[in-house]
Amino acid sequence: MAISLPIYNLGSNPTISNLTSEISSLSGTTGIQNQSDPASFDNLLGKSMTLLNETQNASDAATQSLIMGDSENLHDVMIKATEAQLALDLAVQVRNKSLEAFNEIKNMQF
């Protein structure tokens, strides 16, 4: 079953690509197959982090342009700031749930 999210055609970030290559190298040592799958976890994680970074950068740029007087539309700046905050909150919640699941698996007894 493939997971489809509206995260496509994103730019490449050197930090994200380093993280993605690290994850790919680790998955190769554990015997996980089908790394070229576009819906694989490392691709999904990398694209999500790139989208989060782009959202934060857009919010920062909009705030900066409002401060400098280049933009007079406070409404758009507030929308971008709220989008960035929600995206960050979502990323934190996903991280928390992932760590919770990892710790639960780690504490399983066979």
Side-chain angles (χ1 to χ4, degrees):
M1 176 169 69
I3 299 173
S4 64
L5 295 175
I7 305 172
Y8 300 105
N9 299 327
L10 298 174
S12 172
N13 185 345
T15 307
I16 300 301
S17 63
N18 290 343
L19 177 65
T20 305
S21 65
E22 284 290 322
I23 292 172
S24 296
S25 68
L26 289 175
S27 62
T29 59
T30 58
I32 296 173
Q33 299 299 320
N34 203 7
Q35 293 179 18
S36 63
D37 182 21
S40 66
F41 180 74
D42 59 340
N43 290 336
L44 184 64
L45 181 65
K47 288 178 182 179
S48 298
M49 287 293 130
T50 302
L51 181 61
L52 176 64
N53 190 31
E54 288 175 356
T55 305
Q56 295 291 330
N57 289 339
S59 174
D60 290 343
T63 303
Q64 187 70 25
S65 70
L66 182 68
I67 291 170
M68 299 300 268
D70 297 335
S71 173
E72 294 182 8
N73 196 350
L74 179 63
H75 181 72
D76 288 338
V77 174
M78 291 305 297
I79 288 173
K80 287 184 181 183
T82 303
E83 286 176 352
Q85 181 63 41
L86 289 173
L88 184 62
D89 288 344
L90 176 64
V92 168
Q93 289 300 319
V94 168
R95 181 207 60 185
N96 290 344
K97 290 293 182 180
S98 298
L99 286 174
E100 201 174 289
F102 174 76
N103 286 332
E104 196 170 311
I105 291 171
K106 184 177 72 171
N107 291 331
M108 282 184 179
Q109 294 180 359
F110 294 96

